[in-house]
């Protein structure tokens, strides 16, 4: 058996188990998708959103990329965000990073990694904004993990700076924005920051005039 074939075999076993335990299971999911959460997480294989939150298919709309970034020119992220906020009308957006993130670690180094330099550049900027706070920490792991936390907060602010989120705040007083960090060591998620609908941003230049249309 080729290694990848075990995925297909496991899939068949899973589908059978689901159908046996709950005969209406698949039909209910075919009919409707009403997730309350948009999850923006790291692509890291050790941080599977549904597994670590014990949620089921249909509960979380998911976008993942290296180091859980919200980049305001990323059409992929923006399309997911717009669909989640305007069509699915999610109540909560979670940016969940994780300690020991390889993407953030790479961004802290001076290595030339090719095309990914351009992606990690966003994290280097976060480091530059908070360099004083990070550099005083006594060891490399502490500095890495602090940047990981600050990066999550920055991505939460990046969400709040989009007209997509600001319009939804105005129209329906949602979504709430939550910054979380996951620990690979013990499997626990720690909330680290939150922005509520209508909260003022760190600088008013990011607040759009949203007229009725
Ligand atoms: Co990561």
């Amino acid at each position: 058996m080729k290694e990848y074939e075990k995925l297909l075999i496991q899939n068949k076993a899973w589908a059978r188990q689901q159908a046996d335990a709950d005969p209406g299971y698949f039909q209910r999911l075919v009919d409707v998708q009403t997730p309350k959460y948009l999850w923006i997480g790291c692509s890291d294989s050790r941080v599977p959103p549904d597994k670590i939150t014990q949620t089921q298919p249909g509960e979380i709309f998911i976008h993942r990329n290296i180091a859980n970034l919200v980049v305001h020119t990323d059409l992929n992220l923006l399309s997911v965000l717009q669909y989640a906020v305007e069509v699915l009308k999610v109540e909560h957006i979670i940016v969940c990073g994780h300690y020991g993130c390889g993407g953030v670690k790479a961004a802290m180094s001076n290595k030339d990694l090719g095309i990914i330099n351009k992606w990690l550049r966003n994290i280097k900027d976060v480091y530059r904004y908070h360099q004083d706070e990070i550099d005083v920490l006594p060891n490399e792991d502490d500095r890495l993990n602090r940047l990981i936390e600050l990066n999550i907060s920055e991505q939460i602010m990046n969400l709040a700076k989009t007209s997509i989120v600001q319009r939804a705040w105005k129209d329906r007083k949602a979504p709430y924005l939550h910054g979380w960090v996951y620990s690979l060591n013990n499997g626990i998620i720690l909330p680290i920051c939150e922005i509520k609908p209508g909260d003022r941003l760190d600088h008013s230049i990011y607040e759009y005039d949203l007229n009725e249309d």
Side-chain angles (χ1 to χ4, degrees):
M1 187 179 74
K2 296 190 180 66
E3 205 175 8
Y4 71 89
E5 287 176 336
K6 81 168 188 181
L7 303 187
L8 298 170
I9 290 166
Q10 287 171 187
N11 164 256
K12 282 200 188 69
W14 171 80
R16 203 178 313 117
Q17 272 169 22
Q18 293 294 121
D20 286 351
D22 177 0
Y25 179 79
F26 288 109
Q27 194 53 50
R28 282 200 307 279
L29 288 173
V30 167
D31 292 341
V32 66
Q33 161 172 242
T34 54
K36 292 189 175 66
Y37 315 98
L38 166 61
W39 177 283
I40 298 169
C42 184
S43 297
D44 193 303
S45 64
R46 298 165 297 177
V47 195
D50 49 354
K51 201 150 214 164
I52 64 176
T53 57
Q54 289 202 319
T55 44
Q56 298 299 316
E59 288 193 79
I60 318 185
F61 202 62
I62 296 173
H63 178 85
R64 293 170 77 177
N65 60 41
I66 290 175
N68 40 269
L69 299 184
V70 175
V71 176
H72 73 102
T73 51
D74 177 1
L75 265 184
N76 185 350
L77 177 279
L78 291 172
S79 302
V80 169
L81 179 67
Q82 184 179 17
Y83 189 75
V85 171
E86 295 181 4
V87 180
L88 298 173
K89 299 194 185 314
V90 295
E91 295 290 323
H92 302 274
I93 303 177
I94 296 149
V95 173
C96 187
H98 63 103
Y99 291 124
C101 184
V104 177
K105 191 170 186 177
M108 282 186 100
S109 81
N110 296 95
K111 289 196 192 89
D112 174 11
L113 300 165
I115 191 95
I116 200 177
N117 289 344
K118 299 179 195 332
W119 189 251
L120 300 182
R121 163 66 194 278
N122 295 291
I123 309 171
K124 289 180 185 288
D125 290 341
V126 179
Y127 171 74
R128 180 164 57 86
Y129 304 148
H130 302 282
Q131 186 171 4
D132 294 347
E133 179 186 341
I134 293 166
D135 285 354
V136 294
L137 295 172
N139 67 66
E140 203 179 323
D141 282 349
D142 288 348
R143 290 193 289 276
L144 171 63
N145 286 336
R146 186 62 189 137
L147 179 56
I148 284 164
E149 293 170 350
L150 291 164
N151 180 55
I152 292 164
S153 301
E154 194 71 27
Q155 306 319 313
I156 286 292
M157 286 189 280
N158 285 345
L159 284 172
K161 289 172 187 171
T162 64
S163 55
I164 297 168
V165 166
Q166 290 180 23
R167 186 172 289 283
W169 283 357
K170 183 167 179 279
D171 292 347
R172 61 182 181 93
K173 308 279 180 286
Y176 287 74
L177 311 178
H178 309 271
W180 293 355
V181 63
Y182 173 80
S183 171
L184 294 170
N185 292 318
N186 60 14
I188 297 294
I189 294 170
L190 201 68
I192 53 170
C193 63
E194 183 178 292
I195 300 183
K196 295 183 191 65
D199 279 359
R200 297 301 303 268
L201 304 187
D202 52 349
H203 197 301
S204 62
I205 197 70
Y206 298 110
E207 294 173 348
Y208 293 102
D209 290 329
L210 298 171
N211 300 318
E212 306 301 330
D213 53 19

